[in-house]
Amino acid sequence: MNAPTGGPLSRARLLTSPSVGPSVVRELERITGRPAGSTDRVGPGEPFVYVGDVLPEALRTPRLLWFHSVNAGTDALLSAGTWPEGALLTRTVGRMGERIAQYALGWVLAECQSVAEHTAQHARAEWRRLPSELAAGRTAVVHGTGRIGSTVAGLLRACGVRTIGVGRTPRAAPAGFDRMVLAGTAEETTALAEARWVVSTLPLTGSTQRYFGAARFTAMRGATFINVGRGATVDMAALRDALHGGTVRRAVLDVLPDEPAGPDDPAWRLPHTVITSHSSGITADEDVVTDFAACWEALTEGHAPALAVDTRRGY
């Protein structure tokens, strides 16, 4: 990863995509001290910084110094074409971890309090007591132990839930986790068997495609599966079989392999499943501004931004 500093960055044009709102553009201009332009106003050979949601093919050139994505996920950007050699890619996370953590906790507590069942009873005008379940003392296994996964684990842990993180390399447990296990080991299989909830915050990379398949779903013993990462990390046929077989009790899917899901998508017919419209961690304008400013400050001080993406690994 190359960090554009000094001369090239100081003379680079600031370009923004049409998806970036006027209030954000004004803040970007304030931070960089230069006016923002559109893609048709960059001169030949002129270096530029681009802020947006997608990177047009015409801008995938060596003149691109830095692309700041207004989204957290970068898999679509990297799969859309060859990434320009030497160009920095950063992403927006902002308070997304908090939003996603609240989403996960909300569904955990709703299940403990039988919210869906009470709602159904209300619709039938039926009075019947339903038992509640304590979240404290139960186990959540969280796949993905970066900023978002750690925030999810931290909020669950604050409610007394035991949190186990699953990672690809040995390391000490990050903040929010009681302990770590290695992906693909007997330890992970044991953790999945103990889990009351399994939460995925995984990005989509070559190694996470269909990561959750028959082996992992079979290892679960009635856990609820919550996916707030990427839809294509799940083998949907294997999830369907696990839901029918009972190794997965319920599924809460904020993401799907194909989005938006049309009325004929088989995902809508999965048993014991709730689908939400990729809304657990919607990026706010202030997130874009705050994270861009942090990246700009790091670059002007000669440092690599904390939000930089390794374009070879995909995260």
Side-chain angles (χ1 to χ4, degrees), residues 41 44 67 78 91 96 234 242-243 270 273-274 284 302 304:
R41 296 179 59 188
F67 179 91
L78 295 174
R91 64 194 185 111
M96 181 177 294
V234 177
L243 285 163
L270 289 172
T273 296
V274 174

Side-chain angles (χ1 to χ4, degrees), residues 16-282:
T16 58
S17 73
S19 64
V20 179
S23 62
V24 174
V25 171
R26 288 193 295 271
E27 286 299 299
L28 299 178
E29 291 176 328
R30 179 187 62 79
I31 293 165
T32 62
R34 67 200 68 188
S38 58
T39 57
D40 58 356
R41 296 179 59 188
V42 62
E46 192 173 22
F48 62 92
V49 171
Y50 191 63
V51 180
D53 51 350
V54 297
L55 181 62
E57 186 61 35
L59 298 183
R60 291 176 179 261
T61 76
R63 294 180 292 130
L64 174 65
L65 297 181
W66 168 28
F67 179 91
H68 182 76
S69 173
V70 299
N71 299 313
T74 57
D75 48 282
L77 276 169
L78 295 174
S79 64
T82 303
W83 191 255
E85 186 176 355
L88 173 69
L89 172 60
T90 57
R91 64 194 185 111
T92 299
V93 176
R95 301 186 71 178
M96 181 177 294
E98 294 174 63
R99 295 185 180 95
I100 291 177
Q102 285 188 169
Y103 174 97
L105 177 62
W107 286 105
V108 164
L109 296 181
E111 189 170 48
C112 288
Q113 294 302 126
S114 301
V115 169
E117 292 79 3
H118 280 298
T119 301
Q121 285 189 181
H122 176 89
R124 300 190 299 266
E126 177 184 350
W127 179 282
R128 181 167 59 91
R129 284 186 172 181
L130 295 173
S132 62
E133 175 185 356
L134 286 175
R138 300 287 189 167
T139 298
V141 174
V142 181
H143 290 74
T145 56
R147 293 176 58 166
I148 292 174
S150 292
T151 307
V152 170
L155 192 56
L156 293 174
R157 192 181 185 191
C159 294
V161 178
R162 291 191 298 266
T163 54
I164 300 174
V166 180
R168 295 174 58 192
T169 55
R171 60 173 172 146
F177 291 98
D178 290 303
R179 64 187 180 93
M180 289 282 294
V181 298
L182 283 177
T185 65
E187 277 190 311
E188 183 196 3
T189 301
T190 300
L192 290 173
E194 296 172 354
R196 177 62 181 81
W197 298 279
V198 176
V199 184
S200 174
T201 70
L202 291 176
L204 180 60
T205 67
S207 61
T208 63
Q209 185 92 18
R210 294 193 173 190
Y211 177 92
F212 287 96
R216 285 187 167 88
F217 286 134
T218 300
M220 300 178 196
R221 296 291 182 266
T224 291
F225 177 66
I226 302 173
N227 190 8
V228 291
R230 281 293 181 264
T233 62
V234 177
D235 181 334
M236 296 297 284
L239 175 59
R240 178 200 60 210
D241 293 344
L243 285 163
H244 281 292
T247 56
V248 174
R249 180 186 313 205
R250 290 177 178 166
V252 179
L253 307 176
D254 188 50
V255 289
L256 293 173
D258 298 308
E259 298 179 2
D264 296 330
D265 193 312
W268 294 114
R269 297 186 291 278
L270 289 172
H272 315 300
T273 296
V274 174
I275 293 171
T276 57
S277 52
H278 206 140
S279 56
S280 64
I282 295 174

